[in-house]
Amino acid sequence: MQPESLMMTHGYVPEWSENAVKCPIYQTSTFVFPNAEAGKRFFALAYGKLEPNSGEQPGLIYSRLNNPNLQILEERLALWEQADGAAVFESGMSAISTVFLTFLKPGDRLLISNPVYGGTHHFVHHYLPSIGVHVEHFTADTDLAALQKELCADPRGAQIKLIYAETPANPTNDVIDLKALGALKKALAAQFGTEVRLAVDNTYLGPIWQKPMEFGADMSCYSATKFLSGHSDLIAGAVTGTAESITAIKTLRTFLGNMASPNTCWLLTRSLETLKIRMTRQAENALHVVRFLESHPKVSRVYFPGWASQGDEQVRIHQQQSSSHGAMISFDVLGGEASAFTVLNNLHLVKLAVSLGSNESLAQHPYHMTHADMPEDEKNSLHLTDAMIRLSVGIEDPEDLIHDLRQALDLL
Ligand SMILES: *Cc1c(COP(=O)(O)O)cnc(C)c1O
């Protein structure tokens, strides 16, 4: 069965909870052991001291280690990408920083795409170097085959333990070639005999429209605050991936204690039921909005993943790895920051707020808001200009959205 058919029931048995159709919220910190011997076995399994018998479920101990709401959510989330497993966190940043801390040690090197989400950029540039992790960038313009050759012949290639890409990138919608990164990972591991992992921030198109594990990625990272939640009412993060990566991540999560709460998991489980229908409608709406923006005389450029305005190579990569353009549009207006602010200040239906992927449309100014912390020369070199507005398209009527955007743009 397809994931959308399983989202209402998978992993939950009504008999567990007075035949309730819906899984209740297990708002409890701890669980009663049937006897002391069982408690001993649960701990031995949880800490990996014993292997589970075939089909044996890990016993419930304490909600930092596990909780039914967390487990059911993780089992359902993994279905969308046919991942071995998933780990859910209290924020997207918490998921992403735990991935970095799990797979990077002092002296290791991180190879990461640019631009990325502002919080990821901050962690990578301010925290990782302070613990002795080297950071090296590439962009959508980097020739990845040439980089592979260069790194396989250079000692820095042996230091690379994690390749991380955000694609499409926030906020420029640049797409990064996942197939080429899968090949780079394999080549480095073969050349140096190292364990190299590939993680992809899949927040913009996943898990419906892009499945990085098909291209050799070990993990997809998510801000679950965005499309996965879809209602702008919670903060959460997730990683889906291979059994080996998820086990390593969950082990560190147990000690950082940054798992999501039962209440947040319950809300996300509810949101997953409508994930595909919401994302489908949002993507359809975005196509209408992009065509309108392209036709407006005050819009000088639109940035939409795999759209012709991004160039032929970007279209090729997008077609190779993604099955929709998604619902995130950035666009430049004539007249720079002043014009962008005029538009943002005069939108009525579209709300002026950061975040994205929600049922309601949201717009913001990346240069001075989500990416305020990024150095100006870096922003300028990545065509992240002060004329740019980032728009997350919701599930409203598309004509109402276009009407709102038109009246604001017509003020310029
Ligand atoms: C929002 C976002 C994050 C951070 O997630 P939080 O849930 O806000 O911690 C990471 N990556 C991308 C692409 C995002 O949009």
Side-chain angles (χ1 to χ4, degrees), residues 90-94 96 116-117 119-120 164 166 168-170 201-204 221-226 234-237 355-356 390:
E90 61 189 351
S91 70
M93 276 318 300
S94 169
I96 291 164
V116 289
Y117 176 72
T120 306
Y164 184 94
E166 185 176 300
N170 183 352
D201 186 325
N202 207 27
T203 300
Y204 265 38
C221 305
Y222 292 94
S223 171
T225 312
K226 314 294 168 56
L234 63 86
I235 299 281
S355 200
L356 59 98
R390 189 190 75 184

Side-chain angles (χ1 to χ4, degrees), residues 258-279:
N258 52 355
M259 71 296 153
S261 72
N263 190 59
T264 296
C265 292
W266 184 86
L267 282 168
L268 272 171
T269 305
R270 159 181 265 207
S271 288
L272 286 188
E273 296 185 9
T274 55
L275 179 68
K276 187 161 184 185
I277 197 169
R278 284 186 284 107
M279 287 187 79

Side-chain angles (χ1 to χ4, degrees), residues 66-125:
N66 205 353
N67 174 287
N69 296 111
L70 183 64
Q71 187 174 338
I72 290 166
L73 171 61
E74 289 173 346
E75 287 171 7
R76 290 188 189 174
L77 192 53
L79 291 176
W80 292 100
E81 293 170 275
Q82 294 174 304
D84 295 335
V88 175
F89 292 84
E90 61 189 351
S91 70
M93 276 318 300
S94 169
I96 291 164
S97 54
T98 302
V99 167
F100 290 144
L101 294 174
T102 301
F103 297 111
L104 293 167
K105 304 284 172 264
D108 289 348
R109 184 174 292 268
L110 166 69
L111 190 62
I112 182 168
S113 63
N114 202 21
V116 289
Y117 176 72
T120 306
H121 189 272
H122 185 99
F123 189 82
V124 159
H125 285 273

